[in-house]
Amino acid sequence: MARIGFFLVCWFFSHSIWGEASFSVKPGMKGEPLWQTSTYLEDPKSDFSPETIVSGERDGEFRPIRTPNLGFSASQFWLRIPIKNRGSEPFDWKLEFNFPIIDEVEIFGANANNLSFRKLGDSFPFTERNEEYRNPVFSLTEPALSESVYYLRIRSDSTIPLSLEAYSEKEFYSKVSKEQILFGLFYGTMLAMVFYNSFILYSTRESAYISYILFIVSISLFHLSNNGLAFQFLWSNSIWWANHALPFFMVLSCFTGTLFTGQFLDLFKSKDFIKKVLQFWLGALVFLSLPSFFFNYRIAIITAILCVVITAILLIIMGVKSYIERVRTARYYLFAWTLFLLGVFLFSFKSLGFLPDILLTRWSLQMGTGLLVVIFALGLADRINYLSSQLKESVLQLSQAKEKVEESEKRFKEIFEGSEEVILLLSENQKVLSANRALSKLLGYKPQDILGRSLSDLIYQAKSKKDSYAKIFVSEKLKELFATGRPVQFQTEFAQKYVMEPRDLNCRIQFVDLGGSREILVTMSSMGEDAISRIIYSERIEFEMNNYLRNAEIVSQKITSQLHKFVDSMTQTEIRTSVREIIINAIEHGNLGIGFEEKTKAILEGNYLEYVQKRQEDPQFSAKKVRIDYVLNNEYIAFRITDEGNGFDHKKMMAKSAETVNETFEQHGRGIFMTKAVFDKIEYNDKGNQVSLVRFFKKAEEVK
């Protein structure tokens, strides 16, 4: 019993120290995991000498491995791997560290002394490897019926997974051959997608294909770096870049993926908060790529992992938001990312030991990536087809709209040219752009005669005046149009090309919006005659008017409209002009109290109308009225015009001659002298605020 008890105690302590039973190498091994039969020792200060470890002095400090990943650590780790060969022949096998980006792994043991290179990892040139393979591999031989112990020293700035796998030579090379086929399919697919979508980009010029191609390239480079193929084939001797490429391509994939998402889902065209978040994150990713170059690998890889996590969350949120908003491509987008994330989860759970290491879990990351880019390509194709169909529909609608526009233009041209009214189109600087044929009928001008001229150039100008009230009046109307933006209507005298007398026309000016440019539409028509005016041969009117100068034009037009029945058109114009000038004098010098010198100064300074407006708004003058008594019969026409002003020295003014006024170059003050030449009888009251005007129609006959 004592012997049995001693045996049990020895068995217990041996298992506490050595862990589980030694791993038995045998033919047909297909990547058998070794971490469960191994123990580890942490060396925080990296000061344990290999001699001390290999001699077995510290074997009692080794502990069982609870999880196949030691995480991020600045410590150095030692693994103790007991191996047993129960066969009667020496056995050749491969010890693979299935983690290509491990910094450094070194093997110790009697059977490892004959290796060409015992230090492997991406801290050494790829040419210094026992096998030309992406992962560190040690080719070992176990003598027949032997037991041996191997010690591995592991150091890395990245996470340290204990992905130790044992292969027989045959199965190892079989695995490498299968890997080459699978990697060839994966990277061949990625390369084909790059060329295929580059061709579509060239054909369609769709900007989303640019970011999509960049995303394929960046995520392919990430995979090449992550599985060691980039170090094997692209930068075998660039140790620094081999240790910094992975975090850089991780951040680059986040950047291109985010950029592609914004274009694929049309998020850059929106104006909401998500667009600003997208733009901010793109800028942040550019900044966060810097640790890949200027900081150590641990900081760089942790930063890259955080970028991946945040980007994944952000892109999923964008996809869900777009799907809720019924964006057509959001279905493809969410389906693609779902399959990719499923592949990430399967690979992660396999790496943590929660899922078995089978073909599906080992290649789930590549499968998820491949499906991601393929489904994105289908989404882009659907997007192009949809845009193409929309374009065809738009072209059809545009063609139909063009036909309608051409028909409308034809009708407009017919209306424009066939209108009895003069129609002018002016630019915003008031220059004539076009005119219709009615211009020739009403005023004698051809349309090309007035192109580039202003509306004021068409206003009738008496030879005896440097500047007529009509021009000032039209200028004020244009100012009113620009100030209010509303159509303006008025009546005034326009010049005729071949007849040296004015023509009264109704005028309407308004803004029109033509293709984004604002222009001025002017319509002019003959003044219509009231039906009752045809049977009126005498009339008497008494009325009062306010102090607006523009009303002088309207009133003078009204009270001389029947003169054509008794006098010729020239005489009618002279009477109308004289009455208008007298009414203006009654308003300006009478009711508004504007003196001769004041008016002269305001005209010279160019602010006469503003000066008049201030007087019109002044309570001292605003309530005053001009009274007009008007009589017309078949013998004469008579006017009595009375203002509420202080009057003036009419005797002195009447004593002046027109030649005297002209010699002083006065721009106003000619109304009285014009009136003297037109009317047969002119009488002022003593105060000078009332004038009576009479014109006899049969004057010439009486003289005879």
Side-chain angles (χ1 to χ4, degrees), residues 59-76:
D59 282 357
E61 300 177 29
F62 281 77
R63 295 288 181 266
I65 299 173
R66 303 299 182 189
T67 176
N69 197 313
L70 300 177
F72 288 94
S73 177
S75 299
Q76 179 175 269

mmCIF file of all heavy atoms in Angstrom, residues 59-76:
data_model
loop_
_atom_site.group_PDB
_atom_site.id
_atom_site.type_symbol
_atom_site.label_atom_id
_atom_site.label_comp_id
_atom_site.label_asym_id
_atom_site.label_seq_id
_atom_site.Cartn_x
_atom_site.Cartn_y
_atom_site.Cartn_z
ATOM 1 N N ASP A 59 11.709 24.222 -14.709
ATOM 2 C CA ASP A 59 10.546 23.439 -15.151
ATOM 3 C C ASP A 59 9.403 23.497 -14.149
ATOM 4 O O ASP A 59 8.222 23.460 -14.523
ATOM 5 C CB ASP A 59 10.958 21.986 -15.394
ATOM 6 C CG ASP A 59 11.688 21.833 -16.730
ATOM 7 O OD1 ASP A 59 11.800 22.850 -17.457
ATOM 8 O OD2 ASP A 59 12.135 20.723 -17.040
ATOM 9 N N GLY A 60 9.752 23.600 -12.878
ATOM 10 C CA GLY A 60 8.705 23.637 -11.857
ATOM 11 C C GLY A 60 7.893 24.913 -11.878
ATOM 12 O O GLY A 60 6.828 24.983 -11.244
ATOM 13 N N GLU A 61 8.374 25.956 -12.592
ATOM 14 C CA GLU A 61 7.661 27.236 -12.646
ATOM 15 C C GLU A 61 6.694 27.309 -13.829
ATOM 16 O O GLU A 61 5.920 28.267 -13.936
ATOM 17 C CB GLU A 61 8.666 28.389 -12.748
ATOM 18 C CG GLU A 61 9.635 28.453 -11.575
ATOM 19 C CD GLU A 61 10.663 29.564 -11.748
ATOM 20 O OE1 GLU A 61 10.331 30.577 -12.419
ATOM 21 O OE2 GLU A 61 11.778 29.431 -11.235
ATOM 22 N N PHE A 62 6.777 26.356 -14.722
ATOM 23 C CA PHE A 62 5.869 26.364 -15.877
ATOM 24 C C PHE A 62 4.444 26.054 -15.435
ATOM 25 O O PHE A 62 4.227 25.250 -14.520
ATOM 26 C CB PHE A 62 6.336 25.355 -16.920
ATOM 27 C CG PHE A 62 7.479 25.849 -17.778
ATOM 28 C CD1 PHE A 62 8.773 25.872 -17.277
ATOM 29 C CD2 PHE A 62 7.243 26.291 -19.070
ATOM 30 C CE1 PHE A 62 9.817 26.325 -18.056
ATOM 31 C CE2 PHE A 62 8.288 26.752 -19.860
ATOM 32 C CZ PHE A 62 9.593 26.772 -19.350
ATOM 33 N N ARG A 63 3.487 26.681 -16.072
ATOM 34 C CA ARG A 63 2.082 26.533 -15.693
ATOM 35 C C ARG A 63 1.279 26.020 -16.894
ATOM 36 O O ARG A 63 1.610 26.285 -18.046
ATOM 37 C CB ARG A 63 1.501 27.883 -15.247
ATOM 38 C CG ARG A 63 2.155 28.426 -13.978
ATOM 39 C CD ARG A 63 1.710 27.580 -12.764
ATOM 40 N NE ARG A 63 2.314 28.096 -11.541
ATOM 41 C CZ ARG A 63 3.441 27.649 -11.024
ATOM 42 N NH1 ARG A 63 4.107 26.682 -11.660
ATOM 43 N NH2 ARG A 63 3.918 28.140 -9.900
ATOM 44 N N PRO A 64 0.180 25.333 -16.611
ATOM 45 C CA PRO A 64 -0.682 24.874 -17.710
ATOM 46 C C PRO A 64 -1.280 26.068 -18.469
ATOM 47 O O PRO A 64 -1.525 27.129 -17.907
ATOM 48 C CB PRO A 64 -1.776 24.071 -17.000
ATOM 49 C CG PRO A 64 -1.200 23.717 -15.683
ATOM 50 C CD PRO A 64 -0.274 24.826 -15.293
ATOM 51 N N ILE A 65 -1.521 25.876 -19.747
ATOM 52 C CA ILE A 65 -2.093 26.936 -20.591
ATOM 53 C C ILE A 65 -3.615 26.832 -20.531
ATOM 54 O O ILE A 65 -4.189 25.801 -20.876
ATOM 55 C CB ILE A 65 -1.593 26.798 -22.041
ATOM 56 C CG1 ILE A 65 -0.068 26.924 -22.082
ATOM 57 C CG2 ILE A 65 -2.234 27.859 -22.934
ATOM 58 C CD1 ILE A 65 0.533 26.624 -23.442
ATOM 59 N N ARG A 66 -4.238 27.913 -20.070
ATOM 60 C CA ARG A 66 -5.697 27.903 -19.924
ATOM 61 C C ARG A 66 -6.411 28.350 -21.195
ATOM 62 O O ARG A 66 -7.555 27.995 -21.427
ATOM 63 C CB ARG A 66 -6.106 28.826 -18.766
ATOM 64 C CG ARG A 66 -5.454 28.466 -17.441
ATOM 65 C CD ARG A 66 -5.844 27.074 -16.992
ATOM 66 N NE ARG A 66 -5.261 26.737 -15.697
ATOM 67 C CZ ARG A 66 -5.310 25.521 -15.154
ATOM 68 N NH1 ARG A 66 -5.909 24.532 -15.822
ATOM 69 N NH2 ARG A 66 -4.761 25.289 -13.986
ATOM 70 N N THR A 67 -5.764 29.186 -21.964
ATOM 71 C CA THR A 67 -6.368 29.702 -23.198
ATOM 72 C C THR A 67 -5.295 29.785 -24.275
ATOM 73 O O THR A 67 -4.135 30.074 -23.953
ATOM 74 C CB THR A 67 -6.992 31.100 -22.979
ATOM 75 O OG1 THR A 67 -7.477 31.601 -24.223
ATOM 76 C CG2 THR A 67 -5.989 32.076 -22.414
ATOM 77 N N PRO A 68 -5.624 29.534 -25.512
ATOM 78 C CA PRO A 68 -4.609 29.526 -26.571
ATOM 79 C C PRO A 68 -4.199 30.917 -27.043
ATOM 80 O O PRO A 68 -3.744 31.073 -28.167
ATOM 81 C CB PRO A 68 -5.295 28.749 -27.696
ATOM 82 C CG PRO A 68 -6.731 29.039 -27.515
ATOM 83 C CD PRO A 68 -6.955 29.127 -26.039
ATOM 84 N N ASN A 69 -4.374 31.939 -26.207
ATOM 85 C CA ASN A 69 -3.954 33.283 -26.583
ATOM 86 C C ASN A 69 -3.494 34.011 -25.328
ATOM 87 O O ASN A 69 -4.247 34.150 -24.366
ATOM 88 C CB ASN A 69 -5.098 34.053 -27.251
ATOM 89 C CG ASN A 69 -4.591 35.266 -28.023
ATOM 90 O OD1 ASN A 69 -3.788 36.044 -27.518
ATOM 91 N ND2 ASN A 69 -5.064 35.422 -29.249
ATOM 92 N N LEU A 70 -2.255 34.483 -25.354
ATOM 93 C CA LEU A 70 -1.693 35.180 -24.200
ATOM 94 C C LEU A 70 -1.940 36.683 -24.266
ATOM 95 O O LEU A 70 -1.531 37.407 -23.360
ATOM 96 C CB LEU A 70 -0.182 34.905 -24.117
ATOM 97 C CG LEU A 70 0.195 33.420 -23.960
ATOM 98 C CD1 LEU A 70 1.709 33.265 -23.972
ATOM 99 C CD2 LEU A 70 -0.391 32.847 -22.677
ATOM 100 N N GLY A 71 -2.584 37.159 -25.320
ATOM 101 C CA GLY A 71 -2.933 38.578 -25.439
ATOM 102 C C GLY A 71 -1.729 39.462 -25.702
ATOM 103 O O GLY A 71 -0.654 39.009 -26.083
ATOM 104 N N PHE A 72 -1.918 40.775 -25.481
ATOM 105 C CA PHE A 72 -0.831 41.740 -25.650
ATOM 106 C C PHE A 72 -0.008 41.780 -24.369
ATOM 107 O O PHE A 72 -0.540 41.913 -23.266
ATOM 108 C CB PHE A 72 -1.384 43.148 -25.934
ATOM 109 C CG PHE A 72 -1.974 43.294 -27.298
ATOM 110 C CD1 PHE A 72 -3.338 43.114 -27.506
ATOM 111 C CD2 PHE A 72 -1.174 43.600 -28.379
ATOM 112 C CE1 PHE A 72 -3.889 43.253 -28.761
ATOM 113 C CE2 PHE A 72 -1.714 43.738 -29.647
ATOM 114 C CZ PHE A 72 -3.070 43.563 -29.839
ATOM 115 N N SER A 73 1.281 41.666 -24.502
ATOM 116 C CA SER A 73 2.148 41.679 -23.323
ATOM 117 C C SER A 73 3.553 42.092 -23.737
ATOM 118 O O SER A 73 4.035 41.748 -24.821
ATOM 119 C CB SER A 73 2.177 40.297 -22.663
ATOM 120 O OG SER A 73 3.068 40.295 -21.571
ATOM 121 N N ALA A 74 4.206 42.848 -22.847
ATOM 122 C CA ALA A 74 5.604 43.230 -23.081
ATOM 123 C C ALA A 74 6.560 42.153 -22.585
ATOM 124 O O ALA A 74 7.770 42.261 -22.781
ATOM 125 C CB ALA A 74 5.886 44.557 -22.384
ATOM 126 N N SER A 75 6.012 41.116 -21.957
ATOM 127 C CA SER A 75 6.844 40.039 -21.410
ATOM 128 C C SER A 75 7.313 39.102 -22.515
ATOM 129 O O SER A 75 6.743 39.052 -23.608
ATOM 130 C CB SER A 75 6.058 39.236 -20.368
ATOM 131 O OG SER A 75 5.656 40.056 -19.287
ATOM 132 N N GLN A 76 8.317 38.368 -22.183
ATOM 133 C CA GLN A 76 8.792 37.272 -23.026
ATOM 134 C C GLN A 76 8.232 35.979 -22.446
ATOM 135 O O GLN A 76 8.127 35.834 -21.239
ATOM 136 C CB GLN A 76 10.320 37.262 -23.022
ATOM 137 C CG GLN A 76 10.950 36.155 -23.830
ATOM 138 C CD GLN A 76 12.459 36.298 -23.880
ATOM 139 O OE1 GLN A 76 13.012 36.920 -24.768
ATOM 140 N NE2 GLN A 76 13.137 35.737 -22.893
#
